[in-house]
Amino acid sequence: MGRRLRVLDVGLGRGVQALRLARAGHQVTGLEADPDLRALLEKDLAAEPEGIRKRVRLVSGGSQDTGAHFLPGTFDVVLCHGELMEARDPGTTLAGLARVLDAGGLLSLLIRNDDALAMHPGRTGDWDAALAALEFPERAGRAFRLATLTSGLAGIGTPLRQWYGVRVFAHEDDRAGTAPSERMLAVEERAARTDPYRSVAAMLHVCGVRGS
């Protein structure tokens, strides 16, 4: 984007994307409830140059706690790559994430794809699980359907800008412990933005932009 951004990363995990953004020159705030994960990132940060360490701030809390820690319009980018699925009240949490975005800011979400819950068990031959997902999709989890999330984003003033499929063909259990091949990545990257393939991906990467 050509300028230093104020980024909130909700649910840091091991902090891989937070460190990548800080190394690129952005100011990153990490919101993470797990003290062990915060400690791991602090250890990794200690090995970074001082300039990068100064660009990262860690805050204790979960995705539902943005209102307790940050004022409206604090960030240019909010990343929530998985935490929304664990929220007690996803709708309220989503509104809180949008609230701390400045006008024109980007909200980046990674969610399970509720429209494709039967795909992986079906692909692996787990027919009971596939049938259960087809018959009772609401029992399989609190993932959002794209249409539902699109409506929700519009309702909180952060309308959908773009969406992509994640793990269209690959699954997290595939080739465990090995790096994906360049051909596999090329296929996944192409399918991620191509209909109808992206609509049956295991997960969705959804991007909304905060209105003025």
Side-chain angles (χ1 to χ4, degrees):
M1 293 185 183
R3 63 186 180 94
R4 181 171 295 182
L5 300 172
R6 302 163 297 164
V7 180
L8 173 63
D9 188 358
V10 179
L12 284 165
R14 285 299 307 267
V16 174
Q17 64 186 5
L19 279 175
R20 184 180 295 124
L21 289 165
R23 289 167 182 155
H26 304 298
Q27 195 75 33
V28 182
T29 299
L31 186 63
E32 175 57 61
D34 189 330
D36 293 332
L37 290 175
R38 291 199 308 274
L40 286 172
L41 181 53
E42 287 171 351
K43 182 178 178 180
D44 290 341
L45 276 172
E48 296 288 333
E50 182 181 4
I52 293 175
R53 294 199 305 271
K54 287 183 176 180
R55 288 197 287 271
V56 178
R57 179 168 73 103
L58 301 183
V59 178
S60 175
S63 59
Q64 72 280 357
D65 299 324
T66 52
H69 293 293
F70 312 114
L71 294 173
T74 300
F75 299 101
D76 303 303
V77 177
V78 172
L79 310 175
C80 186
H81 292 172
E83 288 294 299
L84 192 62
M85 295 182 291
E86 306 300 326
R88 293 188 298 270
D89 184 345
T92 300
T93 298
L94 186 64
L97 297 173
R99 173 182 171 275
V100 299
L101 270 175
D102 203 355
L106 175 70
L107 177 59
S108 175
L109 307 170
L110 186 65
I111 63 166
R112 196 165 51 247
N113 182 8
D114 210 18
D115 287 318
L117 291 173
M119 288 298 296
H120 176 65
R123 185 166 68 86
T124 57
D126 187 348
W127 307 119
D128 289 338
L131 188 60
L134 288 167
E135 293 182 342
F136 306 106
E138 71 280 0
R139 297 182 185 177
R142 293 194 297 177
F144 293 117
R145 286 182 166 81
L146 181 63
T148 303
L149 188 57
T150 299
S151 177
L153 288 170
I156 58 174
T158 312
L160 178 72
R161 174 63 59 87
Q162 185 56 278
W163 67 279
Y164 307 91
V166 178
R167 296 205 306 263
V168 176
F169 300 108
H171 187 267
E172 60 185 348
D173 296 332
D174 293 343
R175 301 172 61 86
T178 62
S181 69
E182 290 187 9
R183 295 294 286 173
M184 174 184 172
L185 290 174
V187 169
E188 284 288 331
E189 193 272 337
R190 179 73 174 268
R193 49 190 170 83
T194 304
D195 290 320
Y197 304 105
R198 62 178 181 168
S199 64
V200 296
M203 304 188 78
L204 300 178
H205 181 197
V206 178
C207 300
V209 175
R210 184 74 165 165
S212 57

